[in-house]
Amino acid sequence: MKISKVTWADAQAELSAIRRTVFIEEQKVPESLEWDGEDAHALHVLVTEDAAPVGCGRMLADGHIGRMAVLQNHRGRGVGRLILKTLLMEAEKLRRGRVFLNAQTRAAGFYAKYGFIRVGGEFPDANIPHVRMEKTLDNFSETLNSRFAIPGRLRFQDSGPGLPVAEITTPDAIARVAVQGGQVLEWQPAGHKPVIWVSKAAVYQPGKGVRGGVPVCFPWFGQIEGKAVHGFARTRMWEVREAKVDLADTVVLRLGIKDDESTRAIWDHAFDLELIVTVGAALKMELVTRNTGAVPFTLTDGLHTYFRVGDIRQTKVHGLDGAAYLDKTRDFKQFTQSGAVTFCEETDRVYINTTADCLIEDPVSGRILRVAKAGSSSTVVWNPWTEKEKGFADMAAGEYKDMVCVETVNAGPDEITVVPGGKHSLLAFIGVE
Ligand code: TA6
């Protein structure tokens, strides 16, 4: 038995013959799904026995392993294992750092033996139950550092097994950004206390968002029956795309994700989602959605920012006076804000049709935080208070007093439609006054 790395140009006939037999004829996968246009750019491996093709697999540039197939009468002889191990070796050589695949659920155990971990729930792909599985290669942070570290400015460290976080230092601020979920975890301008809140009981594990920071809500904000709250983007591993120092000695980090079978099974659209974080005396976060498909799509989205405050009971949020809001604690009935938002109970409000800056007045910390925005028509103000706090295993008792969410979103009726080839940018701009 022999395995070789081949290109689609060289081995299209052998590769497609195996996949036609296994996927199209045996598993009834529609032709249109099998030939997805990715083959020409993918890395392929081909297994032959006495020169006859018996198995194949591929890996895309973003570490997406797929199309693993072994002809029926060659199964159970280690061909699949040989294909996977070869692709993992190639991923190490290419300093991929992490790989992922959408496994047929019945094969999840096979991949788990090689360190793949399930992320998210089961989904149908060509009517066959699948699960997304991710594996960070041993040296994920080191791999990222070899490609993106900036001496004295940006370096990746693990916040948990296989969970790299960018540690950013500039003359004006420090920050931390988790690669999983594209989640900002910290921003502290020089001379000030930390601005972004993260729970002391936060959990750092694959497939779970960190309680606090700035969760990315995409492709929906809030709850949709039977689907993950705030969408699927915040629990999967993103791709680091660029790290650089800008003119004013600010650090810019760009991360992204795009659609694959697992996302299309949940939300059937082709997209690219990118977060651009600019760290300096202010914190700028831009969430850019591109429609890479052929039909328009509509979404709600958000940067769900948790701010640190000295005491929520003495905190006020200004800027929403006169704005209509949907009150989640009162069955989403609509009310109008009068004056500043103050806090004496669970508060969970979607302020609609507002583009105003918000000011978080925090007398205990002796500061005002400004939350400016663009591309956002809604602002969510949330504090879980005592009862809801108890419902969060990743929130310590009494922590509700230390935080407030002022979220830069498009939610409720404020939906966004993106046409094919078009893009939508949601921007949050945070400063200390
Ligand atoms: O911030 C508004 C909100 O939708 C709340 O209703 C609460 O669900 C919060 O987000 C946190 O959601 P999460 O899924 O992160 O626990």
Side-chain angles (χ1 to χ4, degrees), residues 208-212 215 217 221-223 228-230 234 304-306 328 332 346-350 380-384 388 392 394 405-407 409:
K208 177 170 175 53
V210 173
R211 172 67 56 196
C217 305
F221 180 91
Q223 178 82 51
V229 178
H230 297 323
R234 63 175 176 157
H304 189 301
T305 312
Y306 287 73
K328 185 172 175 181
F332 284 108
E346 180 191 355
T347 306
D348 197 345
R349 303 174 182 178
V350 181
V380 172
V381 176
W382 177 56
N383 183 284
K388 268 289 167 46
F392 292 125
D394 53 359
C405 282
V406 175
E407 305 161 32
V409 307

Side-chain angles (χ1 to χ4, degrees), residues 168-219:
I168 297 170
T169 307
T170 84
D172 300 312
I174 60 168
R176 297 173 69 240
V177 184
V179 179
Q180 177 170 269
Q183 187 173 3
V184 173
L185 296 178
E186 187 175 0
W187 175 62
Q188 179 175 7
H192 292 282
K193 286 184 275 192
V195 171
I196 303 294
W197 177 86
V198 169
S199 167
K200 292 191 280 288
V203 174
Y204 295 83
Q205 69 185 42
K208 177 170 175 53
V210 173
R211 172 67 56 196
V214 186
V216 170
C217 305
F218 176 92

Side-chain angles (χ1 to χ4, degrees), residues 50 125 345 405 421:
D50 304 330
D125 182 19
E345 60 184 353
C405 282

Side-chain angles (χ1 to χ4, degrees), residues 222-242:
Q223 178 82 51
I224 294 181
E225 186 56 38
K227 298 193 172 190
V229 178
H230 297 323
F232 50 72
R234 63 175 176 157
T235 52
R236 57 186 53 210
M237 196 59 76
W238 288 38
E239 201 185 4
V240 177
R241 293 180 172 174
E242 181 186 29

Side-chain angles (χ1 to χ4, degrees), residues 23 27 68 101-113 116-133 261-262 265:
F23 294 126
Q27 298 190 5
M68 287 186 50
L101 48 83
N102 297 307
Q104 295 189 16
T105 306
R106 62 164 178 255
F110 165 73
Y111 294 108
K113 282 208 297 276
F116 283 85
I117 293 172
R118 289 177 67 147
V119 170
E122 197 172 54
F123 61 88
D125 182 19
N127 291 325
I128 304 167
H130 280 69
V131 285
R132 178 186 170 92
M133 301 183 85
E261 299 93 336
S262 67

